[in-house]
Amino acid sequence: MEYTVETRCLHLEEEKNKDKDFGSVSFPIYQTATFAHYGVGRSTGYDYTRLQNPTREQLERIVASLEGGCDAIAFASGMAAIATLMECFKPGDHLIVDGDLYGGTIRLFNSVCKNKGIEITAIELAKEDPLPYIKENTKAVYVETPTNPMMNITDIKKLSEITKEKGLLLIVDNTFLSPYFQNPLSLGADIIVHSGTKYLGGHNDTIAGFLVTNREDVKEQLRFFYKTTGAALAPFDSWLILRGIKTLAVRMERAQENAMAVAEWLKGQSCVTKVLYPGLPEHPGYEVMKKQARGFGGMLTFEVDTTERAQGILEHVKLIQFAESLGGTESLITYPVTQTHADVPKDKLLENGITDRVLRLSLGIEGKEDLIADLAQAFTAASK
């Protein structure tokens, strides 16, 4: 029997070992570093938690099921997942990446990957054809869609047709939409990246990352680097993400409802010069999103008329918290130029439209009336 995505957030198609777990509804936390053997050549199937752990394996099976992959690998953070992924490339390899990415990813590409001899070319994949940039040593294309923070939308299927024709890996960061709203593997991607800290965890209480693939050859390579570099997610954190995924469907729906309501409200404010939310029909990626995703998500970015107003809003929000991160039950407002993208060169920020007047909102599950009222009072206070 094939379950719906809502059900797969809680149950695998074939649950195993229920008797061994004493019928536990909440999957047990195997908080152990190592596993004893019955004798020489007689293993339980587990050796050492860096290599495998039952709690983490349950989480990995569920994430793989949600994304339609043959394997999902759970890491200690989203950046640990991306850093391990980059071990698949060697000096002299060339990657084409989106110009608008999370600042930590940009930092890794520019400061670590380039120093290791990996060539990086950043372009606007939502607007530019990557074909002219593909070279003999090009190995992969890396994209976020929607991008962080400017909410650019790339047509994954169209891009995958190019990467498959050229024999390149297509890597898609699916953090903003989660597997509830978007499944890049079904659109032709080879590897999915998740910051599990965000929507998968959903409660702002733990850090995790994932790589998911539907290719056996890629799975073997990723598993080798995973066990070798040792960036595995701990058992208790695995359990926290398992717990978070149980409410993924209801949280994503509520966050999207709130994002749409707040986006419409922002459009009516005279001091707001730009609202970037792919659920708005005027967004340039709206039609692509309708085609490749089941929803628009809970993230939006907006720009106000002055730096003073932007900073005043941050000073005066009360219910919405001024903090980094996203995807949790609580709504958060972020200032990209000093937080998520603080290490990105100023000229690159301006090129991407990230100014000191730009604010990013992650809508949580509070009442939308309360969120709008909080923004309204913050806007009023910032005008004084």
Side-chain angles (χ1 to χ4, degrees):
M1 177 179 179
E2 186 173 344
Y3 295 148
T4 63
V5 63
E6 292 87 351
T7 300
R8 281 185 285 125
C9 286
L10 290 91
H11 308 280
L12 292 166
E13 285 83 349
E14 294 181 10
E15 295 282 4
K16 299 177 181 178
N17 299 323
K18 282 193 174 292
D19 291 340
K20 187 181 79 171
D21 298 329
F22 305 101
S24 175
V25 174
S26 175
F27 196 89
I29 305 170
Y30 287 83
Q31 191 64 44
T32 181
T34 191
F35 298 84
H37 298 291
Y38 297 132
V40 177
R42 291 188 291 139
S43 171
T44 61
Y46 296 94
D47 303 295
Y48 191 59
T49 281
R50 174 167 55 82
L51 304 178
Q52 69 275 104
N53 179 281
T55 312
R56 190 169 67 237
E57 284 188 352
Q58 177 74 357
L59 170 61
E60 291 173 338
R61 285 192 293 265
I62 285 180
V63 173
S65 171
L66 290 173
E67 284 289 18
C70 66
D71 195 20
I73 307 174
F75 292 83
S77 70
M79 289 311 304
I82 300 170
T84 304
L85 171 61
M86 290 302 110
E87 294 295 329
C88 296
F89 305 103
K90 62 183 186 300
D93 286 348
H94 173 238
L95 274 64
I96 298 171
V97 307
D98 201 292
D100 183 39
L101 297 172
Y102 165 58
T105 307
I106 294 174
R107 181 175 59 240
L108 176 73
F109 288 162
N110 289 344
S111 302
V112 179
C113 295
K114 285 185 178 180
N115 287 343
K116 292 172 63 177
I118 298 172
E119 186 182 352
I120 305 290
T121 298
I123 66 172
E124 287 190 76
L125 285 164
K127 300 176 183 177
E128 294 184 74
D129 185 344
L131 272 173
Y133 302 93
I134 296 175
K135 305 188 292 187
E136 287 187 9
N137 60 333
T138 304
K139 303 298 180 183
V141 176
Y142 186 106
V143 64
E144 294 174 356
T145 181
T147 61
N148 181 3
M150 300 309 287
M151 308 302 292
N152 298 323
I153 308 299
T154 297
D155 189 323
I156 299 172
K157 188 172 183 180
K158 183 177 177 181
L159 185 57
S160 75
E161 292 170 356
I162 296 171
T163 56
K164 281 181 167 46
E165 180 186 347
K166 297 297 182 180
L168 311 179
L169 287 173
L170 176 55
I171 305 161
V172 179
D173 188 320
N174 197 33
T175 298
F176 268 24
L177 289 185
S178 88
Y180 180 72
F181 279 141
Q182 182 171 265
N183 299 118
L185 295 180
S186 68
L187 299 165
D190 299 293
I191 301 171
I192 295 172
V193 176
H194 279 289
S195 173
T197 311
K198 313 305 192 293
Y199 287 108
L200 293 176
H203 290 78
N204 292 319
D205 57 8
T206 193
I207 293 176
F210 293 90
L211 296 177
V212 190
T213 185
N214 56 2
R215 287 178 46 172
E216 289 291 336
D217 59 332
V218 173
K219 166 188 171 180
E220 294 304 318
Q221 192 176 26
L222 291 175
R223 281 284 172 188
F224 173 79
F225 287 120
Y226 177 66
K227 73 176 182 179
T228 303
T229 57
L233 188 63
F236 184 68
D237 296 290
S238 297
W239 181 83
L240 285 172
I241 303 294
L242 273 172
R243 182 197 63 173
I245 290 175
K246 289 185 177 185
T247 59
L248 178 65
V250 291
R251 287 188 289 102
M252 292 303 297
E253 291 288 352
R254 182 57 173 266
Q256 176 174 250
E257 178 187 338
N258 285 345
M260 183 62 77
V262 170
E264 291 290 354
W265 181 83
L266 287 168
K267 284 170 57 180
Q269 307 310 303
S270 59
C271 63
V272 174
T273 57
K274 189 183 299 182
V275 180
L276 303 174
Y277 180 62
L280 296 174
E282 61 267 29
H283 189 285
Y286 178 73
E287 293 299 330
V288 174
M289 280 284 282
K290 285 204 303 182
K291 180 176 65 174
Q292 70 185 21
R294 294 179 293 275
F296 302 103
M299 298 296 302
L300 69 83
T301 295
F302 67 99
E303 183 181 71
V304 293
D305 52 0
T306 67
T307 302
E308 293 73 23
R309 194 184 304 275
Q311 295 179 355
I313 291 167
L314 295 170
E315 292 284 348
H316 289 95
V317 285
K318 296 177 181 178
L319 177 65
I320 300 169
Q321 298 176 75
F322 175 22
E324 291 195 49
S325 199
L326 60 101
T329 49
E330 300 86 3
S331 293
L332 304 178
I333 190 165
T334 299
Y335 200 31
V337 292
T338 65
Q339 293 181 304
T340 56
H341 291 67
D343 291 337
V344 178
K346 189 172 182 179
D347 60 338
K348 186 62 180 176
L349 289 175
L350 294 176
E351 181 183 328
N352 289 347
I354 305 171
T355 70
D356 52 12
R357 296 178 286 113
V358 167
L359 301 169
R360 191 193 72 185
L361 268 173
S362 169
L363 282 309
I365 63 171
E366 303 94 341
K368 56 180 175 288
E369 298 87 354
D370 298 325
L371 294 170
I372 290 171
D374 188 38
L375 285 170
Q377 67 80 26
F379 273 52
T380 299
S383 300
K384 295 179 179 177

